[in-house]
Amino acid sequence: MILMAVFVYGLIAANFATSATDNHTAAQATGVQPTVFVGIGNYLDLLASEAFQHSLKNLLLYTVVFLVGTMVIGFTWAWLLERPMRGEGIFRSVYLFPMAVSFIASGVVWRWLLNSNEGEQALGLNRLFQMVGLDFLQNPWWNNITWGIAAIALPAIWQLSGYVMALFLAGFRGVPEELREAGRMDGASEWQVYRHVIFPQLSPVALSALIIIGHMSLKAFDLIMSISKPSNYQTKVPAVDMYVFKSSFDYANSAAVGAILLIIVALLVIPYLIHTNRKEASGR
Amino acid sequence: MTTTTTPTAPGIGDLAPAPRRPKGRFSAARTARYAILLFSVLIVLIPVYVLLVTSFKGPGDATPTRAWALPQLWIADNWITAWDTLSPAIGRTLQMVIPASIISAFLGSMNGFVLSRWSFRGANVVFTLILFGMFIPYQAVMIPLNQIVLDIGLPNGVPTLILLHVIYGIPITTLIFRNYYESVPHELIEAARMDGAGMLRTYAWVVLPISIPSFVVVLIWQFTSAWNDFLFAVFFSTPNTGPVTVALNNLANGAQLQNYGVSMAGALFASLPTLLVYIILGKYFVGGLMSGSVKG
């Protein structure tokens, strides 16, 4: 546990310290040249730069598409599978398996599926649309500057919808049968039982699913590295910027980007942790 | 398989439980349900089809016009090339993943035991800090971490990565074990202490044997996440010293001409171990996902 204190919280502190210096060159990174304290200067420069704003916009768009996609699909699957049915195990296994695959491996196939060639040269999904006569669906995928990042969210949805399904399924199964019975006895239709009895019971599950998927999406890195390239402007996000800055020995900016990510995650997660902590404490 | 037996046929579908509902409406809803579920299966499996089919295609076969067709000739060349390229990296991944998962599982079980048994002032704060440790974006520690690795002169690749996976695995493994020990009857441990066993003896003789279910879950979890990790790998190794994710990314995104067939065969190789874990230990895998439900 001491290890953890040092390596997590100690290093976070060290990271903030680096982010507040002018450590921007290889000579400084290796300690040949001294660095100077510049306070929050790096943060201000980053936030003011058009390129980093683009990353933040990308991150927001990616998160929204990814969250909505996995939540809607995961919830629908769980709902359809909720009542005992034939072949449930098989459906569940198929929906869940992409989760076992690394983003890098799935990136290989999605790179092909999301190939941006259109018309005669079309590959991947564009080709499929052409074959089934849905040509108008053809698009440049991740090569679109504004919306490209949303295309990268597709494989992420493919990989994690099954996980959200598993969470919701556990939620559905956790609703006591008596509650449903009681609802039916009161003359509620099957839909009303769902609407007024079961769905409200699922909100804690929905909340934790949102937090998990949300914080994964903020760290989005692997998929972008394997489908696009780190240097591609159209699909960059802060996690990728951090890598690019690090590769060019601009440690100060790299640390600042890392710190910004940490702050965003903290804003999202800390209220949730406090909330669950309180609930656990009062539940005892 | 039974899944595809026509759910529309009257009588067949109604054999399933849930007799309470009116039958006519039920069958229609049921048909729709199956239709959506089966359609989803098709969509989910599309990438698998593409991976398999393309990995068996020869160079001339992978033309745009035949993008979705089966191979004209099934060939194994891609698989051989991919294996030759990736097998050293797969070996390194095993060297990294196995010790990393075992060590972090043990550390987690000890931490979890301590946390669940000895309540002390501020235990709640410590617990919350550990929880938050699972959410932090590793980007926020990468630069100082890099400095430390350089300063103590750790070699790039396997040794460094083992250390990192162990350290950053502690929060999740601690949490899983702690939750498990909370559910174990306290009397069991009390009894051992009454018999005069110290903390270490209690741990070794009483706690460890009952922890096996948690160990399975934690090991699966750590195995899969370390195997699939790319972030640490790309920062702390090169394609020649790193695990299979780095080697595969290099193979697929390398400077040389794109060869989809080889990269797809490679992607399949790189996914086989985690897929096997999923297939063989599927039940526990889901359990791992659930207990890891606060991690990404």
Side-chain angles (χ1 to χ4, degrees):
Chain A
M1 272 194 263
I2 294 170
L3 266 184
M4 212 200 105
V6 172
F7 275 90
V8 175
Y9 295 100
L11 291 192
I12 287 175
N15 186 68
F16 274 109
T18 311
S19 74
T21 64
D22 69 342
N23 190 343
H24 295 303
T25 63
Q28 288 167 315
T30 48
V32 178
Q33 246 175 50
T35 56
V36 181
F37 179 80
V38 295
I40 58 167
N42 293 322
Y43 292 86
L44 296 180
D45 290 348
L46 270 177
L47 293 176
S49 85
E50 193 277 328
F52 191 68
Q53 285 171 9
H54 180 69
S55 293
L56 290 175
K57 261 184 244 157
N58 270 349
L59 185 63
L60 181 69
L61 184 60
Y62 177 84
T63 304
V64 170
V65 175
F66 181 35
L67 272 178
V68 172
T70 46
M71 292 299 279
V72 169
I73 296 176
F75 178 79
T76 311
W77 285 346
W79 191 11
L80 292 172
L81 287 172
E82 186 245 337
R83 304 260 72 190
M85 69 186 296
R86 248 176 230 229
E88 182 204 318
I90 295 172
F91 286 122
R92 246 188 0 209
S93 312
V94 170
Y95 298 155
L96 250 177
F97 95 88
M99 168 117 206
V101 179
S102 72
F103 281 127
I104 296 298
S106 76
V108 170
V109 63
W110 281 97
R111 222 171 115 80
W112 187 87
L113 286 174
L114 301 179
N115 192 292
S116 57
N117 290 344
E118 294 175 55
E120 277 304 296
Q121 286 305 308
L123 276 169
L125 288 180
N126 280 348
R127 186 79 198 171
L128 187 68
F129 291 149
Q130 201 177 45
M131 283 160 57
V132 295
L134 294 169
D135 289 48
F136 63 94
L137 280 177
Q138 287 199 33
N139 70 73
W141 299 109
W142 58 265
N143 269 320
N144 181 303
I145 293 219
T146 319
W147 303 105
I149 194 73
I152 309 252
L154 290 180
I157 295 173
W158 175 74
Q159 289 203 271
L160 286 151
S161 291
Y163 178 48
V164 175
M165 171 202 72
L167 291 176
F168 272 119
L169 208 49
F172 272 118
R173 301 270 151 92
V175 178
E177 191 58 31
E178 298 84 60
L179 270 182
R180 298 171 194 248
E181 272 313 311
R184 292 196 194 102
M185 297 292 269
D186 291 345
S189 72
E190 214 43 39
W191 162 247
Q192 284 168 326
V193 170
Y194 276 115
R195 174 72 188 75
H196 298 290
V197 180
I198 301 177
F199 290 163
Q201 300 268 324
L202 294 178
S203 50
V205 177
L207 182 63
S208 41
L210 272 177
I211 294 285
I212 297 159
I213 299 295
H215 102 283
M216 289 181 69
S217 131
L218 295 176
K219 300 177 191 171
F221 177 71
D222 304 17
L223 263 181
I224 298 173
M225 292 284 285
S226 81
I227 294 179
S228 178
K229 270 200 175 89
S231 51
N232 276 338
Y233 180 80
Q234 58 270 46
T235 51
K236 73 198 208 72
V237 295
V240 173
D241 291 334
M242 192 261 145
Y243 174 77
V244 172
F245 279 132
K246 153 78 173 53
S247 312
S248 60
F249 294 98
D250 185 347
Y251 283 11
N253 271 332
S254 188
V257 174
I260 291 173
L261 266 181
L262 177 74
I263 294 168
I264 301 178
V265 170
L267 288 177
L268 175 87
V269 167
I270 289 179
Y272 167 76
L273 288 182
I274 294 175
H275 169 78
T276 36
N277 241 352
R278 281 221 190 101
K279 238 177 43 188
E280 204 174 303
S282 62
R284 272 185 196 165
Chain B
M1 287 302 326
T2 48
T3 35
T4 48
T5 50
T6 51
T8 38
I12 296 178
D14 293 335
L15 286 176
R20 250 178 252 107
R21 297 182 225 184
K23 291 201 170 172
R25 202 175 62 91
F26 183 57
S27 304
R30 198 184 171 85
T31 311
R33 213 151 68 125
Y34 269 107
I36 301 174
L37 288 171
L38 285 173
F39 181 70
S40 310
V41 166
L42 281 184
I43 302 273
V44 172
L45 291 181
I46 281 182
V48 181
Y49 167 79
V50 170
L51 271 173
L52 276 173
V53 162
T54 316
S55 74
F56 286 107
K57 280 184 182 178
D61 208 357
T63 55
T65 38
R66 297 192 32 86
W68 289 86
L70 289 170
Q72 283 169 322
L73 202 70
W74 294 77
I75 54 162
D77 294 18
N78 296 329
W79 284 82
I80 297 166
T81 317
W83 176 249
D84 288 345
T85 324
L86 290 184
S87 54
I90 291 180
R92 284 193 297 271
T93 311
L94 283 172
Q95 281 172 30
M96 163 190 98
V97 167
I98 292 171
S101 343
I102 294 175
I103 300 171
S104 62
F106 271 100
L107 286 177
S109 106
M110 287 189 259
N111 280 340
F113 178 55
V114 172
L115 265 183
S116 75
R117 281 294 157 258
W118 274 268
S119 49
F120 48 94
R121 271 169 61 92
N124 233 338
V125 177
V126 171
F127 185 60
T128 310
L129 284 175
I130 294 181
L131 264 179
F132 185 63
M134 297 193 304
F135 287 103
I136 67 144
Y138 298 135
Q139 279 83 6
V141 293
M142 229 39 134
I143 292 292
L145 201 55
N146 178 61
Q147 207 58 52
I148 292 186
V149 169
L150 284 180
D151 286 351
I152 54 179
L154 274 176
N156 247 342
V158 176
T160 307
L161 291 175
I162 292 179
L163 182 73
L164 296 182
H165 285 303
V166 166
I167 292 172
Y168 292 101
I170 292 177
I172 179 80
T173 58
T174 302
L175 183 85
I176 294 176
F177 278 108
R178 182 249 183 204
N179 288 346
Y180 176 72
Y181 293 139
E182 288 280 310
S183 70
V184 168
H186 290 218
E187 292 78 35
L188 201 63
I189 288 139
E190 285 309 312
R193 283 171 90 195
M194 298 290 270
D195 291 345
M199 190 174 139
L200 270 180
R201 280 184 64 113
T202 317
Y203 176 76
W205 293 100
V206 182
V207 178
L208 269 190
I210 58 164
S211 310
I212 291 173
S214 275
F215 265 99
V216 175
V217 167
V218 164
L219 285 174
I220 293 173
W221 178 267
Q222 287 298 94
F223 180 89
T224 1
S225 51
W227 187 284
N228 288 340
D229 163 72
F230 181 68
L231 184 62
F232 283 136
V234 80
F235 273 89
F236 295 104
S237 72
T238 64
N240 292 325
T241 61
V244 68
T245 44
V246 171
L248 175 65
N249 188 52
N250 193 54
L251 172 72
N253 288 347
Q256 69 279 60
L257 197 66
Q258 272 295 309
N259 187 336
Y260 281 115
V262 173
S263 7
M264 293 203 190
L268 285 165
F269 270 132
S271 316
L272 274 183
T274 46
L275 280 178
L276 280 179
V277 165
Y278 169 75
I279 291 165
I280 298 169
L281 302 168
K283 203 171 64 184
Y284 305 98
F285 180 74
V286 177
L289 293 182
M290 294 295 178
S291 32
S293 65
V294 260
K295 193 199 180 184

